[in-house]
Amino acid sequence: MAFNEDLAQRVRLLMKRRKGFSERKMFGGICFMLHGNMCCGVTRDRLMLRLGEKNAQKALQEPDTKEMDFTGKPLKSMIYVEQAGYESTEDLKYWINQAVKFAQSLPPKD
């Protein structure tokens, strides 16, 4: 299993009604896009978030988060959230909304 399908479906339900929504397979999992910009995704059992460098550093102070190091080198604008950090619907919504805010601040690519 490349990514947790149940988590992907939970994220999809929160994202699919947003204008500019699309999906793309990336990073060995699935990414959810807004206007062509990567917003969030799922790899294995981890929630992947694009928050921007400043917001990612702040988010890393929260429990159950870690730097995204997909290539072996940390990506400063992205983080992983482990299962305990997104288990509740409220927590998942919180994290998705943080990523959506950042993605909406970027110029559209599509």
Side-chain angles (χ1 to χ4, degrees):
M1 174 177 70
F3 62 91
N4 180 319
E5 294 281 353
D6 292 332
L7 175 57
Q9 183 60 22
R10 289 176 65 202
V11 174
R12 187 177 290 113
L13 290 172
L14 294 172
M15 294 288 298
K16 71 179 184 178
R17 293 187 181 146
R18 297 180 187 273
K19 188 175 180 181
F21 169 77
S22 62
E23 297 181 24
R24 185 175 300 158
K25 290 188 178 185
M26 294 172 66
F27 299 110
I30 189 161
C31 289
F32 300 97
M33 320 285 281
L34 288 177
H35 298 287
N37 291 299
M38 191 265 181
C39 177
C40 57
V42 177
T43 60
R44 298 184 191 157
D45 285 327
R46 296 186 217 160
L47 179 64
M48 178 176 52
L49 303 167
R50 183 178 184 194
L51 302 174
E53 193 170 334
K54 180 181 170 187
N55 293 332
Q57 290 305 311
K58 183 178 174 186
L60 288 170
Q61 297 172 16
E62 298 291 326
D64 306 307
T65 61
K66 66 181 258 185
E67 289 180 319
M68 183 177 169
D69 60 354
F70 181 77
T71 62
K73 181 179 176 186
L75 300 171
K76 295 181 181 189
S77 66
M78 298 177 72
I79 68 164
Y80 287 131
V81 180
E82 301 293 339
Q83 188 172 1
Y86 64 74
E87 246 175 349
S88 77
T89 300
E90 296 80 23
D91 287 342
L92 182 61
K93 284 181 183 178
Y94 169 79
W95 287 117
I96 297 301
N97 286 335
Q98 297 304 307
V100 165
K101 282 181 197 175
F102 180 74
Q104 289 176 332
S105 75
L106 301 171
K109 288 186 177 180
D110 49 354

